[in-house]
Amino acid sequence: MPPARPLSLVTGASAGIGAAFARDLAARGHDLVLTARRVERLEALAQELRDQHKASVTVLPADLADPAAVLQLCEALDARGLRVDWLINNAGYGVPGTFEAVDWPVHEAFIRVLMTAPAELVWRLLPGMRERGYGRIINVASLAGHVPGSVGHTLYAASKAYLIKFSQSLALENRHRGVNVCALCPGFTWSEFHDVTGTRQLMNNLPGFMWQSAEDVVREGHDAVERGDVVHVTGGVNRFIKALMKLLPDRFTLWLSAKESRRYRDLGEAS
């Protein structure tokens, strides 16, 4: 049985899907631990959740690109006696440009934030969930993990495919210990993501029906992990795209991916 007030840790909680998860969980009676780099935004969100939902909210700023960040975060939880019941691995971003046009330290930080840190957080927090017989883990992946890789943002789809496979194995290993694991796979979502990567103007060329709100993504994700869904693609349009990509020949989908990449991505290619 879940505790009366589950404690949820949300990474990348300062904006977008992470902030929407924090608001949704607080409204459902959860207490929260919020982490991201932007302290001011975290503090403002924490106060909002305390005022509106009487939630107990702890702010623990962290840069998950730092190899020591996850251990320090978990030590801070232990020092406060906080036992995490829900883990929302949401922190992420994109790196525009072709692979060789971007310095390796930038790629290295990306891999640490989107792949290494989520895995380490699960590894450190999962034993407590298994011991208590209750836990929920949502790894925020993407529709990009189900479709062919694109030109530019080279590691993005790869990192999301990794999260999907990681979640599947975790779900199989823990389904009989009261721990549900779900890879949440949204498509285009209204957030700051494309502003940060400098592709907002390009993204504005996409038709409106391709987009979802962060709140809709979160509601679907919450329902999916509670149902025990291991992988959940949000939105009917995105589910159709996933199904279509599985039916079409690889050669055609790769051609289509290359064509669309040049329409909607800032490739940042070296001259």
Side-chain angles (χ1 to χ4, degrees):
M1 293 293 292
R5 291 193 64 87
L7 178 66
S8 295
L9 169 61
V10 183
T11 71
S14 59
I17 292 174
F21 257 117
R23 292 187 175 101
D24 178 81
L25 292 166
R28 295 174 187 262
H30 289 226
D31 293 325
L32 289 134
V33 178
L34 307 179
T35 188
R37 292 179 299 170
R38 294 179 288 188
V39 182
E40 296 81 4
R41 288 199 176 194
L42 290 178
E43 292 289 2
L45 177 58
Q47 193 58 52
E48 172 193 326
L49 302 181
R50 294 180 191 118
D51 292 343
Q52 292 188 6
H53 304 293
K54 309 304 180 186
S56 173
V57 186
T58 303
V59 171
L60 296 175
D63 181 357
L64 296 180
D66 180 350
V70 172
L71 175 58
Q72 292 171 354
L73 179 59
C74 292
E75 288 177 340
L77 293 170
D78 288 342
R80 291 165 172 78
L82 298 173
R83 303 189 305 178
V84 173
D85 302 298
W86 283 60
L87 170 61
I88 313 296
N89 271 320
N90 165 76
Y93 57 96
V95 177
T98 55
F99 192 65
E100 83 288 349
V102 177
D103 292 339
W104 176 249
V106 177
H107 288 315
E108 186 176 31
F110 176 91
I111 291 169
R112 189 167 297 282
V113 173
L114 275 86
M115 299 173 69
T116 307
E120 185 179 353
L121 275 168
V122 172
W123 185 80
R124 294 189 180 280
L125 298 176
L126 179 60
M129 296 180 184
R130 286 171 59 95
E131 181 181 348
R132 296 188 297 274
Y134 176 80
R136 300 290 183 264
I137 297 170
I138 297 179
N139 293 316
V140 179
S142 171
L143 176 64
H146 293 285
V147 302
S150 62
V151 180
H153 292 251
T154 317
L155 292 175
Y156 188 78
S159 71
K160 297 305 185 178
Y162 161 83
L163 285 176
I164 293 167
K165 297 301 183 183
F166 176 52
S167 299
Q168 289 172 331
S169 293
L170 281 174
L172 292 174
E173 292 171 359
N174 294 282
R175 66 192 333 168
H176 300 302
R177 300 297 294 268
V179 180
N180 292 359
V181 182
C182 179
L184 179 62
C185 303
F188 294 109
T189 306
W190 295 112
S191 70
E192 294 181 355
F193 180 90
H194 300 289
D195 299 309
V196 174
T197 60
T199 56
R200 172 59 62 196
Q201 187 171 355
L202 294 170
M203 289 297 102
N204 287 342
N205 295 325
L206 284 168
F209 68 82
M210 295 288 294
W211 295 86
Q212 280 188 291
S213 70
E215 290 75 18
D216 286 342
V217 168
V218 166
R219 280 192 291 270
E220 287 197 41
H222 190 283
D223 292 344
V225 75
E226 287 286 55
R227 284 194 305 267
D229 292 356
V230 178
V231 178
H232 180 76
V233 178
T234 68
V237 171
N238 296 322
R239 289 190 284 273
F240 172 77
I241 292 171
K242 177 196 172 188
L244 183 63
M245 290 297 105
K246 293 179 70 174
L247 296 174
L248 295 173
D250 288 348
R251 181 175 296 182
F252 177 77
T253 58
L254 285 169
W255 171 83
L256 184 63
S257 178
K259 179 175 179 290
E260 294 303 299
S261 294
R262 295 188 177 277
R263 289 181 62 190
Y264 297 115
R265 289 189 185 274
D266 177 8
L267 302 183
E269 293 175 308
S271 57

